[in-house]
Amino acid sequence: PKTDIVFLKVHKSASSTVMNILFRFGETHNLTFAFPLGGGYQLYYPHHFLARFVQGFSPQSPRRFNILCHHMRFLQPEVQKVVPSSAIYFSILRNPVQLMESSFVYYKGASAFSRVRSLEEFLSQPYRYYNPARGDRHYARNLMTFDFGFNPDGEVSPERVQLMLKAIEASFDFLLISEYFDESMVLLKEMLCWDLDSVVSFPLNSRDSSTKSPLPDSVAEKLKAWNRLDWEIYTHFNRTFWERIDRDIGRERMRREVKALRERQAELARTCLQGTGSVAPKDIKDSSLRPLQHGGARILGYNLKQGLDRELERTCRRLVTPELQYSSLLYKKQFPPRPP
């Protein structure tokens, strides 16, 4: 199994669920993580990543970490200073229309969104609300482009788009697609030579459907145009995703693998969870399993069954531990506080 990994955690793209998979794998195999300084949760985002943002990194004696997966704005020469040269690089993408709808609810406080009631209102005159000079502008336009390290307000000429796609292909071994999450996990397992249980998961940081609203086609088209760079990235890598599956796995085997993955997840859900699945934040009984609530979104969580034996309780708890709590736990393990 591959143990040196860089995961570019793209916002609002099921990346918290992928991060949980990496946390569990790293913990099980006693791997080191490139944590943000002081145990924070982002690597000085939204600034471009620098090696010195990582706890325990020093230019004099550069130590290498196995897994880099916290939020960052990608800058490969700096990333290469903290991970081994053999590291596998991957990320995950989401349809920019749904991504922006999610971003609008989650980052309602962002300067571009704070004065509008709806996405329609924002899109009717985006430049009335969107200021390219504001430090939080990226939440409102081409968020994936920004996370990959490019300018979200860049021109959309075919030449520039090609350069951007080529740069991403040169840096990343593969990109997953959140709309095909199960297929993505099968591909991940394949590329990293992991077993099935390493890629099972329950959806984390997902929001209650009451805050989701279907978008009319006219709005979807405007969103694609407004997020044109993201749209170019998404459509290109959605295509190469399926080309890779056809080449490396085949549709028939993919169907079998997805079925096995879903059966294993259903089995774990029956074993671990009270009720049928995720619950509203107010209904989560164990406060240590309550995810951070953000913006206008209601982030769902889970209740574990009572009376599980110790080993099973540990497995189940890891599957449902929200990102911030899990990150803190692993940070304390890697950098134990000195006794007074």
Side-chain angles (χ1 to χ4, degrees):
K2 305 271 194 299
T3 53
D4 298 324
I5 291 157
V6 173
F7 171 53
L8 178 63
K9 186 177 188 292
V10 169
H11 287 77
K12 314 313 316 147
S13 305
S15 55
S16 294
T17 308
V18 178
M19 200 174 186
N20 176 273
I21 288 169
L22 296 174
F23 278 169
R24 289 183 349 242
F25 186 85
E27 186 179 25
T28 307
H29 294 82
N30 220 3
L31 305 177
T32 57
F33 290 88
F35 284 107
L37 277 174
Y41 304 112
Q42 302 197 334
L43 291 152
Y44 214 51
Y45 188 88
H47 299 275
H48 274 106
F49 176 82
L50 295 174
R52 61 184 169 81
F53 300 158
V54 172
Q55 179 76 42
F57 174 82
S58 99
Q60 288 73 41
S61 57
R63 70 177 275 206
R64 301 279 193 243
F65 299 88
N66 300 115
I67 299 178
L68 174 60
C69 63
H70 286 72
H71 271 309
M72 64 170 159
R73 189 171 182 208
F74 190 67
L75 187 61
Q76 189 162 17
E78 288 290 318
V79 168
Q80 286 168 331
K81 295 177 185 176
V82 297
V83 294
S85 56
S86 58
I88 300 275
Y89 288 68
F90 77 99
S91 186
I92 187 163
L93 304 173
R94 183 182 185 185
N95 184 314
V97 175
Q98 278 73 48
L99 186 140
M100 180 131 177
E101 189 273 332
S102 176
S103 194
F104 181 77
V105 174
Y106 205 79
Y107 301 113
K108 193 72 188 75
S111 55
F113 295 150
S114 58
R115 309 202 317 277
V116 294
R117 285 186 304 279
S118 66
L119 261 182
E120 282 94 319
E121 191 182 339
F122 173 79
L123 290 162
S124 65
Q125 306 170 276
Y127 282 108
R128 189 178 155 192
Y129 309 107
Y130 176 84
N131 177 352
R134 291 300 288 265
D136 62 357
R137 76 189 194 285
H138 51 283
Y139 293 124
R141 188 176 203 191
N142 289 316
L143 182 49
M144 294 191 288
T145 302
F146 183 86
D147 285 353
F148 276 94
F150 304 103
N151 176 7
D153 296 301
E155 53 156 330
V156 193
S157 64
E159 299 75 32
R160 196 168 176 284
V161 167
Q162 277 314 306
L163 280 172
M164 182 172 72
L165 296 176
K166 291 265 185 297
I168 295 172
E169 282 180 333
S171 300
F172 288 83
D173 296 287
F174 56 102
L175 297 186
L176 308 174
I177 303 288
S178 70
E179 283 78 12
Y180 303 103
F181 192 80
D182 294 341
E183 290 83 355
S184 292
M185 291 306 101
V186 172
L187 186 65
L188 182 69
K189 167 174 96 72
E190 199 67 12
M191 305 307 294
L192 299 178
C193 307
W194 288 6
D195 62 7
L196 182 70
D197 267 14
S198 295
V199 297
V200 298
S201 63
F202 297 145
L204 294 175
N205 206 25
S206 58
R207 70 194 159 106
D208 182 354
S209 56
S210 71
T211 60
K212 294 179 187 172
S213 48
L215 298 168
D217 290 348
S218 59
V219 174
E221 287 311 312
K222 279 183 181 168
L223 279 173
K224 283 180 202 171
W226 176 247
N227 294 288
R228 181 63 196 282
L229 292 170
D230 273 10
W231 184 249
E232 295 285 351
I233 292 175
Y234 178 77
T235 49
H236 175 80
F237 288 104
N238 189 5
R239 195 178 67 247
T240 58
F241 175 80
W242 291 102
E243 286 168 1
R244 167 162 256 160
I245 284 170
D246 289 337
R247 190 180 70 234
D248 296 348
I249 299 176
R251 300 281 170 118
E252 192 42 54
R253 189 175 141 220
M254 177 54 88
R255 269 194 289 276
R256 287 199 306 273
E257 296 258 0
V258 165
K259 186 167 176 279
L261 177 65
R262 287 176 181 162
E263 282 168 0
R264 179 67 181 127
Q265 281 170 181
E267 183 190 339
L268 277 164
R270 286 192 299 273
T271 306
C272 294
L273 304 178
Q274 279 182 35
T276 50
S278 51
V279 296
K282 63 176 177 32
D283 299 323
I284 301 168
K285 299 186 181 77
D286 180 342
S287 61
S288 71
L289 296 178
R290 201 169 290 144
L292 174 77
Q293 301 300 310
H294 202 291
R298 282 210 315 206
I299 308 298
L300 304 172
Y302 298 92
N303 285 317
L304 291 179
K305 276 189 178 157
Q306 300 300 302
L308 299 169
D309 73 60
R310 243 182 72 189
E311 197 46 46
L312 188 57
E313 206 268 350
R314 189 190 144 84
T315 300
C316 294
R317 178 170 286 275
R318 292 293 187 257
L319 276 161
V320 301
T321 299
E323 173 188 328
L324 303 191
Q325 287 93 312
Y326 206 157
S327 183
S328 297
L329 188 131
L330 292 173
Y331 178 81
K332 288 188 188 109
K333 207 168 156 179
Q334 193 167 308
F335 300 102
R338 293 204 180 91

